[in-house]
Amino acid sequence: MKVLVVGGGIIGCATAYELAKAGCAVTLLERAAPGAEASSAAAGLLAPLGESSQTGFARLALASWRLYPEVVRELRERTGMDVEHVTRGTIYPMAATDARDVDEWALAPEFGVERLEGADVQKREPALSPRVRRALFVRGDHWINNQRLVLAYAQAAVAAGVELCAGASVSRVVVERGRAAGVVADGERHEADAVLLAAGAWTSELVASFGGQLRIEPRRGQMIALAHVPAVLTYCVHGEAYVVPRPSGEVLIGATVERAGFQRAVTAEGIAGLLRAAIELVPSLGELPIARTWCGFRPWAPDSLPVLGPWPGVEGLWLATAHFRNGILLAPITARLMTDWITTGAPGLEVGDFLPARFGDAS
Ligand SMILES: Cc1cc2nc3c(=O)[nH]c(=O)nc-3n(C[C@H](O)[C@H](O)[C@H](O)COP(=O)(O)OP(=O)(O)OC[C@H]3O[C@@H](n4cnc5c(N)ncnc54)[C@H](O)[C@@H]3O)c2cc1C
């Protein structure tokens, strides 16, 4: 089967890789370079534990989290790249009034959730402000270098036979007699048996190109990297902002969630808010040099859930987008379930919450 994948973010690269492993002839069309957008802007947190493990989204997130150790090993074997998978755990400072109860979380044992009180908070992470008197420690929350991960997936995809067309901007999906016949990129027509749209926050434009309608919007996120030398922090800390120490010698601070269209700007207010929140949690961060700031556009759908599956009424047209705040976490499972679905007709997981058809205006 010949498949065209549009978009070389984490979702497009991971899915192209899995499709090639499953025996498909895959062409990946990316208008810039792999990982040019949200997938490189992210912080790389892999944190699936929420208040409830009963939703379809929580099950998807957990399934993806469980795949990570194997994915990291496989990508290292195939590409030699170390994607900096850190498995130390995250500290969630809690207000005195926070009623979250560890025992209510069905997944608590698998995630090694612990409650920290009083001096035990600073015993675990001495860099935390003495004002933090209660916290949850979640050992199962991991993090990864997502810039490396997306490139590792892209490299593994190419090694598995994917034809990577970087700098190829798709202007149109070609729909003929009710089926997706291919796409047009820079005036050139590419034919295929199936087309997968994984163009992140830009997916609506591609849907509109064949007369469909789908509301995927950008949600801007701003980020800061500080030079983390000497290192002050061991664990990830997740309060009003999150603070992520990386093996590469930076500590990341993120992230805003803003409705600002595609305005590619880091703002004074955005950065000031993040720094204030981070320094309140970890005062010694205030002395570290700012290395970089950036922003990216999370793909968001009106119910904040991913959009996965076949486009109704057009045979051979598939979507994998709108992963919003969790696209790095969800990439391994998305890639596998889309591959199963496209090649066998069955996704292998409960996906009812994610179908494009849930939006009445999908046409
Ligand atoms: C600041 C920030 C922090 C985040 N932190 C985390 C986190 O800690 N953990 C987590 O799990 N998630 C996080 N996310 C979310 C995550 O980054 C996204 O959900 C994920 O990257 C989406 O991947 P994608 O491949 O769908 O989109 P993208 O990475 O945006 O990729 C889409 C690609 O499609 C290409 N494209 C678009 N239109 C066309 C076209 N017409 N032709 C050809 N190519 C096209 C673009 O150039 C782009 O490369 C964060 C996001 C941001 C912005």
Side-chain angles (χ1 to χ4, degrees):
M1 179 191 273
K2 180 159 175 40
V3 186
L4 293 173
V5 177
V6 183
I10 191 83
I11 300 300
C13 290
T15 311
Y17 170 59
E18 293 292 345
L19 283 165
K21 272 170 51 188
C24 297
V26 184
T27 301
L28 175 59
L29 299 150
E30 162 55 50
R31 69 177 170 201
E37 297 287 353
S39 300
S40 292
L45 297 175
L46 310 175
L49 197 60
E51 302 290 326
S52 159
S53 56
Q54 300 313 315
T55 64
F57 179 80
R59 283 192 291 272
L60 192 74
L62 188 62
S64 209
W65 177 84
R66 286 183 175 139
L67 287 176
Y68 254 98
E70 175 194 333
V71 164
V72 166
R73 221 176 12 253
E74 184 177 320
L75 291 176
R76 191 200 298 264
E77 275 166 23
R78 292 190 177 227
T79 68
M81 285 179 73
D82 171 13
V83 296
E84 296 184 347
H85 184 211
V86 183
T87 59
R88 277 180 224 140
T90 294
I91 296 174
Y92 293 83
M94 286 165 74
T97 52
D98 199 325
R100 272 179 290 183
D101 188 347
V102 180
D103 304 329
E104 283 173 14
W105 290 358
L107 292 166
E110 182 172 359
F111 276 77
V113 183
E114 249 177 76
R115 195 199 310 273
L116 302 172
E117 302 271 356
D120 285 346
V121 176
Q122 284 71 25
K123 218 190 258 171
R124 178 61 53 94
E125 179 51 82
L128 271 173
S129 160
R131 288 179 21 205
V132 180
R133 303 310 292 158
R134 292 178 75 213
L136 286 183
F137 176 60
V138 181
R139 189 173 290 283
D141 276 358
H142 300 164
W143 61 99
I144 201 145
N145 183 321
N146 44 289
Q147 291 85 1
R148 287 192 184 188
L149 181 69
V150 66
L151 293 179
Y153 262 128
Q155 266 195 33
V158 170
V162 172
E163 183 191 4
L164 170 63
C165 300
S169 184
V170 173
S171 54
R172 188 159 78 82
V173 179
V174 181
V175 176
E176 287 170 352
R177 291 179 293 282
R179 64 170 286 275
V183 302
V184 175
D186 303 314
E188 190 188 335
R189 182 166 161 156
H190 299 252
E191 308 275 339
D193 303 307
V195 174
L196 171 67
L197 303 182
W202 296 268
T203 304
S204 291
E205 299 166 13
L206 292 165
V207 172
S209 77
F210 62 88
Q213 265 190 314
L214 179 69
R215 195 170 148 219
I216 305 292
E217 291 177 7
R219 288 292 179 266
R220 186 172 70 186
Q222 302 186 41
M223 295 277 303
I224 305 164
L226 307 180
H228 195 209
V229 182
V232 297
L233 200 65
T234 304
Y235 297 100
C236 184
V237 179
H238 198 156
E240 202 187 311
Y242 50 72
V243 185
V244 187
R246 283 194 161 177
S248 57
E250 286 186 330
V251 60
L252 307 191
I253 299 172
T256 62
V257 182
E258 302 161 83
R259 198 172 171 169
F262 286 106
Q263 199 188 354
R264 211 178 280 276
V266 169
T267 64
E269 194 179 25
I271 296 304
L274 291 172
L275 287 175
R276 182 194 47 71
I279 292 170
E280 218 162 80
L281 291 170
V282 184
S284 48
L285 291 177
E287 289 156 31
L288 298 177
I290 295 178
R292 301 177 286 136
T293 60
W294 66 92
C295 71
F297 302 108
R298 304 176 186 88
W300 173 88
D303 57 6
S304 299
L305 291 175
V307 174
L308 307 173
W311 185 260
V314 180
E315 204 188 319
L317 183 59
W318 301 84
L319 268 74
T321 188
H323 292 78
F324 190 34
R325 305 185 74 169
N326 292 287
I328 307 302
L329 170 64
L330 294 173
I333 196 71
T334 300
R336 293 203 185 177
L337 86 82
M338 292 310 300
T339 296
D340 286 346
W341 214 342
I342 292 169
T343 57
T344 71
L349 271 182
E350 177 47 50
V351 287
D353 291 352
F354 312 124
L355 294 172
R358 72 184 184 272
F359 299 110
D361 54 0
S363 58

mmCIF file of all heavy atoms in Angstrom, residues 268-308:
data_model
loop_
_atom_site.group_PDB
_atom_site.id
_atom_site.type_symbol
_atom_site.label_atom_id
_atom_site.label_comp_id
_atom_site.label_asym_id
_atom_site.label_seq_id
_atom_site.Cartn_x
_atom_site.Cartn_y
_atom_site.Cartn_z
ATOM 1 N N ALA A 268 6.706 39.835 26.493
ATOM 2 C CA ALA A 268 7.229 40.225 27.807
ATOM 3 C C ALA A 268 6.357 39.650 28.910
ATOM 4 O O ALA A 268 6.846 39.094 29.908
ATOM 5 C CB ALA A 268 7.289 41.751 27.897
ATOM 6 N N GLU A 269 5.040 39.727 28.711
ATOM 7 C CA GLU A 269 4.121 39.235 29.741
ATOM 8 C C GLU A 269 4.226 37.716 29.899
ATOM 9 O O GLU A 269 4.253 37.193 31.024
ATOM 10 C CB GLU A 269 2.688 39.612 29.351
ATOM 11 C CG GLU A 269 1.732 39.458 30.481
ATOM 12 C CD GLU A 269 0.311 39.863 30.082
ATOM 13 O OE1 GLU A 269 -0.031 39.801 28.883
ATOM 14 O OE2 GLU A 269 -0.441 40.209 30.996
ATOM 15 N N GLY A 270 4.319 37.032 28.766
ATOM 16 C CA GLY A 270 4.434 35.570 28.801
ATOM 17 C C GLY A 270 5.673 35.131 29.553
ATOM 18 O O GLY A 270 5.612 34.286 30.467
ATOM 19 N N ILE A 271 6.790 35.719 29.214
ATOM 20 C CA ILE A 271 8.060 35.327 29.833
ATOM 21 C C ILE A 271 8.097 35.743 31.306
ATOM 22 O O ILE A 271 8.547 34.977 32.170
ATOM 23 C CB ILE A 271 9.239 35.950 29.039
ATOM 24 C CG1 ILE A 271 9.272 35.363 27.613
ATOM 25 C CG2 ILE A 271 10.574 35.756 29.742
ATOM 26 C CD1 ILE A 271 9.346 33.857 27.546
ATOM 27 N N ALA A 272 7.584 36.952 31.592
ATOM 28 C CA ALA A 272 7.590 37.429 32.990
ATOM 29 C C ALA A 272 6.770 36.483 33.869
ATOM 30 O O ALA A 272 7.189 36.124 34.977
ATOM 31 C CB ALA A 272 7.030 38.848 33.061
ATOM 32 N N GLY A 273 5.608 36.053 33.371
ATOM 33 C CA GLY A 273 4.731 35.166 34.151
ATOM 34 C C GLY A 273 5.396 33.827 34.420
ATOM 35 O O GLY A 273 5.333 33.290 35.531
ATOM 36 N N LEU A 274 6.037 33.273 33.401
ATOM 37 C CA LEU A 274 6.693 31.975 33.568
ATOM 38 C C LEU A 274 7.852 32.081 34.557
ATOM 39 O O LEU A 274 8.012 31.230 35.441
ATOM 40 C CB LEU A 274 7.213 31.454 32.217
ATOM 41 C CG LEU A 274 6.147 31.044 31.197
ATOM 42 C CD1 LEU A 274 6.799 30.728 29.852
ATOM 43 C CD2 LEU A 274 5.362 29.836 31.698
ATOM 44 N N LEU A 275 8.653 33.125 34.423
ATOM 45 C CA LEU A 275 9.810 33.277 35.310
ATOM 46 C C LEU A 275 9.361 33.484 36.760
ATOM 47 O O LEU A 275 9.906 32.883 37.679
ATOM 48 C CB LEU A 275 10.689 34.446 34.858
ATOM 49 C CG LEU A 275 11.514 34.202 33.588
ATOM 50 C CD1 LEU A 275 12.256 35.460 33.175
ATOM 51 C CD2 LEU A 275 12.497 33.046 33.775
ATOM 52 N N ARG A 276 8.334 34.312 36.927
ATOM 53 C CA ARG A 276 7.844 34.566 38.289
ATOM 54 C C ARG A 276 7.389 33.251 38.939
ATOM 55 O O ARG A 276 7.788 32.919 40.052
ATOM 56 C CB ARG A 276 6.686 35.580 38.249
ATOM 57 C CG ARG A 276 6.146 35.948 39.606
ATOM 58 C CD ARG A 276 4.810 36.678 39.526
ATOM 59 N NE ARG A 276 3.836 36.046 38.643
ATOM 60 C CZ ARG A 276 3.205 34.898 38.900
ATOM 61 N NH1 ARG A 276 3.435 34.246 40.018
ATOM 62 N NH2 ARG A 276 2.338 34.416 38.034
ATOM 63 N N ALA A 277 6.586 32.473 38.185
ATOM 64 C CA ALA A 277 6.047 31.224 38.753
ATOM 65 C C ALA A 277 7.175 30.236 39.042
ATOM 66 O O ALA A 277 7.175 29.565 40.086
ATOM 67 C CB ALA A 277 5.037 30.611 37.780
ATOM 68 N N ALA A 278 8.150 30.152 38.136
ATOM 69 C CA ALA A 278 9.236 29.175 38.317
ATOM 70 C C ALA A 278 10.139 29.568 39.484
ATOM 71 O O ALA A 278 10.530 28.721 40.302
ATOM 72 C CB ALA A 278 10.048 29.064 37.025
ATOM 73 N N ILE A 279 10.459 30.856 39.593
ATOM 74 C CA ILE A 279 11.370 31.304 40.663
ATOM 75 C C ILE A 279 10.684 31.198 42.037
ATOM 76 O O ILE A 279 11.336 30.918 43.042
ATOM 77 C CB ILE A 279 11.876 32.737 40.370
ATOM 78 C CG1 ILE A 279 12.798 32.703 39.133
ATOM 79 C CG2 ILE A 279 12.622 33.329 41.564
ATOM 80 C CD1 ILE A 279 13.167 34.054 38.581
ATOM 81 N N GLU A 280 9.374 31.371 42.038
ATOM 82 C CA GLU A 280 8.641 31.184 43.290
ATOM 83 C C GLU A 280 8.786 29.740 43.790
ATOM 84 O O GLU A 280 8.918 29.484 44.983
ATOM 85 C CB GLU A 280 7.168 31.489 43.048
ATOM 86 C CG GLU A 280 6.501 32.205 44.190
ATOM 87 C CD GLU A 280 5.220 32.855 43.710
ATOM 88 O OE1 GLU A 280 4.211 32.130 43.604
ATOM 89 O OE2 GLU A 280 5.256 34.065 43.397
ATOM 90 N N LEU A 281 8.786 28.797 42.866
ATOM 91 C CA LEU A 281 8.920 27.382 43.250
ATOM 92 C C LEU A 281 10.372 27.020 43.578
ATOM 93 O O LEU A 281 10.640 26.275 44.517
ATOM 94 C CB LEU A 281 8.461 26.478 42.097
ATOM 95 C CG LEU A 281 6.973 26.469 41.766
ATOM 96 C CD1 LEU A 281 6.725 25.711 40.453
ATOM 97 C CD2 LEU A 281 6.211 25.800 42.904
ATOM 98 N N VAL A 282 11.288 27.514 42.743
ATOM 99 C CA VAL A 282 12.712 27.145 42.861
ATOM 100 C C VAL A 282 13.523 28.447 42.839
ATOM 101 O O VAL A 282 13.961 28.904 41.777
ATOM 102 C CB VAL A 282 13.149 26.218 41.699
ATOM 103 C CG1 VAL A 282 14.589 25.760 41.866
ATOM 104 C CG2 VAL A 282 12.227 25.021 41.577
ATOM 105 N N PRO A 283 13.724 29.091 43.997
ATOM 106 C CA PRO A 283 14.314 30.433 44.020
ATOM 107 C C PRO A 283 15.676 30.525 43.325
ATOM 108 O O PRO A 283 15.967 31.529 42.670
ATOM 109 C CB PRO A 283 14.430 30.736 45.512
ATOM 110 C CG PRO A 283 13.363 29.892 46.148
ATOM 111 C CD PRO A 283 13.269 28.653 45.335
ATOM 112 N N SER A 284 16.496 29.476 43.422
ATOM 113 C CA SER A 284 17.847 29.593 42.842
ATOM 114 C C SER A 284 17.842 29.669 41.318
ATOM 115 O O SER A 284 18.868 30.012 40.707
ATOM 116 C CB SER A 284 18.731 28.439 43.320
ATOM 117 O OG SER A 284 18.045 27.218 43.180
ATOM 118 N N LEU A 285 16.720 29.387 40.677
ATOM 119 C CA LEU A 285 16.661 29.553 39.217
ATOM 120 C C LEU A 285 16.899 31.009 38.831
ATOM 121 O O LEU A 285 17.364 31.308 37.731
ATOM 122 C CB LEU A 285 15.283 29.131 38.676
ATOM 123 C CG LEU A 285 14.922 27.652 38.722
ATOM 124 C CD1 LEU A 285 13.493 27.453 38.212
ATOM 125 C CD2 LEU A 285 15.892 26.829 37.878
ATOM 126 N N GLY A 286 16.579 31.913 39.756
ATOM 127 C CA GLY A 286 16.699 33.347 39.479
ATOM 128 C C GLY A 286 18.108 33.776 39.118
ATOM 129 O O GLY A 286 18.303 34.808 38.466
ATOM 130 N N GLU A 287 19.098 32.991 39.524
ATOM 131 C CA GLU A 287 20.499 33.376 39.255
ATOM 132 C C GLU A 287 21.033 32.799 37.948
ATOM 133 O O GLU A 287 22.146 33.113 37.530
ATOM 134 C CB GLU A 287 21.388 32.869 40.397
ATOM 135 C CG GLU A 287 21.162 33.631 41.677
ATOM 136 C CD GLU A 287 21.564 32.810 42.884
ATOM 137 O OE1 GLU A 287 22.493 31.990 42.783
ATOM 138 O OE2 GLU A 287 20.910 32.977 43.937
ATOM 139 N N LEU A 288 20.261 31.941 37.305
ATOM 140 C CA LEU A 288 20.783 31.271 36.105
ATOM 141 C C LEU A 288 20.595 32.134 34.858
ATOM 142 O O LEU A 288 19.589 32.842 34.728
ATOM 143 C CB LEU A 288 20.073 29.923 35.907
ATOM 144 C CG LEU A 288 20.270 28.896 37.024
ATOM 145 C CD1 LEU A 288 19.454 27.642 36.740
ATOM 146 C CD2 LEU A 288 21.750 28.540 37.179
ATOM 147 N N PRO A 289 21.538 32.055 33.919
ATOM 148 C CA PRO A 289 21.406 32.846 32.683
ATOM 149 C C PRO A 289 20.304 32.309 31.781
ATOM 150 O O PRO A 289 20.133 31.087 31.672
ATOM 151 C CB PRO A 289 22.768 32.654 31.986
ATOM 152 C CG PRO A 289 23.624 31.879 32.899
ATOM 153 C CD PRO A 289 22.796 31.299 33.988
ATOM 154 N N ILE A 290 19.584 33.206 31.141
ATOM 155 C CA ILE A 290 18.586 32.783 30.140
ATOM 156 C C ILE A 290 19.341 32.398 28.876
ATOM 157 O O ILE A 290 20.114 33.193 28.330
ATOM 158 C CB ILE A 290 17.588 33.925 29.835
ATOM 159 C CG1 ILE A 290 16.776 34.239 31.092
ATOM 160 C CG2 ILE A 290 16.678 33.555 28.664
ATOM 161 C CD1 ILE A 290 15.796 35.384 30.943
ATOM 162 N N ALA A 291 19.130 31.163 28.417
ATOM 163 C CA ALA A 291 19.817 30.702 27.206
ATOM 164 C C ALA A 291 18.991 30.994 25.962
ATOM 165 O O ALA A 291 19.524 31.468 24.953
ATOM 166 C CB ALA A 291 20.094 29.196 27.306
ATOM 167 N N ARG A 292 17.688 30.705 26.019
ATOM 168 C CA ARG A 292 16.850 30.861 24.825
ATOM 169 C C ARG A 292 15.409 31.059 25.266
ATOM 170 O O ARG A 292 15.020 30.602 26.343
ATOM 171 C CB ARG A 292 16.860 29.577 23.967
ATOM 172 C CG ARG A 292 18.199 29.144 23.493
ATOM 173 C CD ARG A 292 18.122 27.831 22.723
ATOM 174 N NE ARG A 292 17.901 26.684 23.598
ATOM 175 C CZ ARG A 292 17.051 25.703 23.366
ATOM 176 N NH1 ARG A 292 16.289 25.751 22.280
ATOM 177 N NH2 ARG A 292 16.923 24.680 24.184
ATOM 178 N N THR A 293 14.627 31.663 24.393
ATOM 179 C CA THR A 293 13.165 31.658 24.551
ATOM 180 C C THR A 293 12.577 31.294 23.191
ATOM 181 O O THR A 293 13.216 31.531 22.158
ATOM 182 C CB THR A 293 12.611 33.044 24.964
ATOM 183 O OG1 THR A 293 12.961 33.991 23.957
ATOM 184 C CG2 THR A 293 13.156 33.500 26.301
ATOM 185 N N TRP A 294 11.381 30.714 23.188
ATOM 186 C CA TRP A 294 10.745 30.379 21.907
ATOM 187 C C TRP A 294 9.252 30.161 22.134
ATOM 188 O O TRP A 294 8.774 30.155 23.277
ATOM 189 C CB TRP A 294 11.390 29.136 21.284
ATOM 190 C CG TRP A 294 11.201 27.853 22.039
ATOM 191 C CD1 TRP A 294 10.195 26.938 21.856
ATOM 192 C CD2 TRP A 294 12.019 27.339 23.090
ATOM 193 N NE1 TRP A 294 10.358 25.896 22.736
ATOM 194 C CE2 TRP A 294 11.462 26.110 23.499
ATOM 195 C CE3 TRP A 294 13.176 27.798 23.741
ATOM 196 C CZ2 TRP A 294 12.012 25.328 24.519
ATOM 197 C CZ3 TRP A 294 13.717 27.026 24.767
ATOM 198 C CH2 TRP A 294 13.142 25.817 25.135
ATOM 199 N N CYS A 295 8.548 29.978 21.041
ATOM 200 C CA CYS A 295 7.133 29.619 21.152
ATOM 201 C C CYS A 295 6.778 28.603 20.075
ATOM 202 O O CYS A 295 7.531 28.406 19.125
ATOM 203 C CB CYS A 295 6.233 30.854 21.046
ATOM 204 S SG CYS A 295 6.162 31.559 19.397
ATOM 205 N N GLY A 296 5.642 27.944 20.269
ATOM 206 C CA GLY A 296 5.155 26.977 19.283
ATOM 207 C C GLY A 296 3.642 26.933 19.329
ATOM 208 O O GLY A 296 3.019 27.503 20.231
ATOM 209 N N PHE A 297 3.068 26.247 18.340
ATOM 210 C CA PHE A 297 1.611 26.239 18.182
ATOM 211 C C PHE A 297 1.055 24.836 18.373
ATOM 212 O O PHE A 297 1.186 23.979 17.497
ATOM 213 C CB PHE A 297 1.237 26.783 16.800
ATOM 214 C CG PHE A 297 1.762 28.170 16.572
ATOM 215 C CD1 PHE A 297 2.822 28.404 15.696
ATOM 216 C CD2 PHE A 297 1.221 29.233 17.258
ATOM 217 C CE1 PHE A 297 3.318 29.679 15.505
ATOM 218 C CE2 PHE A 297 1.718 30.518 17.086
ATOM 219 C CZ PHE A 297 2.768 30.745 16.207
ATOM 220 N N ARG A 298 0.404 24.627 19.536
ATOM 221 C CA ARG A 298 -0.220 23.322 19.782
ATOM 222 C C ARG A 298 -1.467 23.197 18.916
ATOM 223 O O ARG A 298 -2.275 24.127 18.870
ATOM 224 C CB ARG A 298 -0.660 23.204 21.239
ATOM 225 C CG ARG A 298 0.421 23.430 22.266
ATOM 226 C CD ARG A 298 -0.215 23.374 23.656
ATOM 227 N NE ARG A 298 0.712 23.707 24.718
ATOM 228 C CZ ARG A 298 0.949 24.942 25.155
ATOM 229 N NH1 ARG A 298 0.336 25.983 24.616
ATOM 230 N NH2 ARG A 298 1.807 25.150 26.139
ATOM 231 N N PRO A 299 -1.675 22.041 18.298
ATOM 232 C CA PRO A 299 -2.921 21.854 17.545
ATOM 233 C C PRO A 299 -4.071 21.504 18.488
ATOM 234 O O PRO A 299 -3.987 20.535 19.237
ATOM 235 C CB PRO A 299 -2.593 20.677 16.610
ATOM 236 C CG PRO A 299 -1.433 19.971 17.232
ATOM 237 C CD PRO A 299 -0.746 20.908 18.182
ATOM 238 N N TRP A 300 -5.122 22.308 18.441
ATOM 239 C CA TRP A 300 -6.232 22.188 19.394
ATOM 240 C C TRP A 300 -7.564 22.012 18.658
ATOM 241 O O TRP A 300 -7.837 22.727 17.696
ATOM 242 C CB TRP A 300 -6.275 23.465 20.239
ATOM 243 C CG TRP A 300 -7.453 23.594 21.153
ATOM 244 C CD1 TRP A 300 -7.568 23.124 22.428
ATOM 245 C CD2 TRP A 300 -8.694 24.271 20.868
ATOM 246 N NE1 TRP A 300 -8.801 23.457 22.948
ATOM 247 C CE2 TRP A 300 -9.507 24.151 22.013
ATOM 248 C CE3 TRP A 300 -9.197 24.956 19.759
ATOM 249 C CZ2 TRP A 300 -10.796 24.694 22.076
ATOM 250 C CZ3 TRP A 300 -10.481 25.490 19.824
ATOM 251 C CH2 TRP A 300 -11.256 25.361 20.979
ATOM 252 N N ALA A 301 -8.369 21.058 19.111
ATOM 253 C CA ALA A 301 -9.741 20.891 18.596
ATOM 254 C C ALA A 301 -10.712 21.382 19.666
ATOM 255 O O ALA A 301 -10.362 21.432 20.844
ATOM 256 C CB ALA A 301 -10.004 19.420 18.283
ATOM 257 N N PRO A 302 -11.936 21.737 19.279
ATOM 258 C CA PRO A 302 -12.868 22.372 20.225
ATOM 259 C C PRO A 302 -13.144 21.589 21.502
ATOM 260 O O PRO A 302 -13.509 22.184 22.507
ATOM 261 C CB PRO A 302 -14.141 22.548 19.389
ATOM 262 C CG PRO A 302 -13.627 22.717 18.000
ATOM 263 C CD PRO A 302 -12.441 21.805 17.892
ATOM 264 N N ASP A 303 -12.993 20.275 21.535
ATOM 265 C CA ASP A 303 -13.164 19.552 22.799
ATOM 266 C C ASP A 303 -11.821 19.179 23.436
ATOM 267 O O ASP A 303 -11.775 18.376 24.381
ATOM 268 C CB ASP A 303 -14.032 18.302 22.621
ATOM 269 C CG ASP A 303 -13.479 17.350 21.569
ATOM 270 O OD1 ASP A 303 -12.361 17.599 21.057
ATOM 271 O OD2 ASP A 303 -14.154 16.353 21.257
ATOM 272 N N SER A 304 -10.736 19.754 22.917
ATOM 273 C CA SER A 304 -9.370 19.552 23.449
ATOM 274 C C SER A 304 -8.874 18.103 23.337
ATOM 275 O O SER A 304 -7.884 17.746 23.964
ATOM 276 C CB SER A 304 -9.255 19.991 24.924
ATOM 277 O OG SER A 304 -9.548 21.357 25.034
ATOM 278 N N LEU A 305 -9.559 17.281 22.552
ATOM 279 C CA LEU A 305 -9.129 15.885 22.383
ATOM 280 C C LEU A 305 -8.494 15.696 21.006
ATOM 281 O O LEU A 305 -8.788 16.444 20.067
ATOM 282 C CB LEU A 305 -10.339 14.951 22.510
ATOM 283 C CG LEU A 305 -10.956 14.830 23.901
ATOM 284 C CD1 LEU A 305 -12.208 13.973 23.853
ATOM 285 C CD2 LEU A 305 -9.946 14.263 24.892
ATOM 286 N N PRO A 306 -7.642 14.681 20.863
ATOM 287 C CA PRO A 306 -7.066 14.409 19.545
ATOM 288 C C PRO A 306 -8.143 14.082 18.509
ATOM 289 O O PRO A 306 -9.243 13.658 18.861
ATOM 290 C CB PRO A 306 -6.197 13.163 19.792
ATOM 291 C CG PRO A 306 -5.984 13.099 21.257
ATOM 292 C CD PRO A 306 -7.156 13.758 21.901
ATOM 293 N N VAL A 307 -7.783 14.280 17.256
ATOM 294 C CA VAL A 307 -8.651 13.910 16.136
ATOM 295 C C VAL A 307 -7.925 12.794 15.385
ATOM 296 O O VAL A 307 -6.890 13.024 14.759
ATOM 297 C CB VAL A 307 -8.912 15.120 15.207
ATOM 298 C CG1 VAL A 307 -9.697 14.704 13.968
ATOM 299 C CG2 VAL A 307 -9.654 16.227 15.962
ATOM 300 N N LEU A 308 -8.479 11.583 15.475
ATOM 301 C CA LEU A 308 -7.808 10.410 14.921
ATOM 302 C C LEU A 308 -8.815 9.585 14.123
ATOM 303 O O LEU A 308 -9.901 9.291 14.629
ATOM 304 C CB LEU A 308 -7.264 9.509 16.038
ATOM 305 C CG LEU A 308 -6.355 10.138 17.099
ATOM 306 C CD1 LEU A 308 -6.059 9.126 18.207
ATOM 307 C CD2 LEU A 308 -5.059 10.611 16.463
#
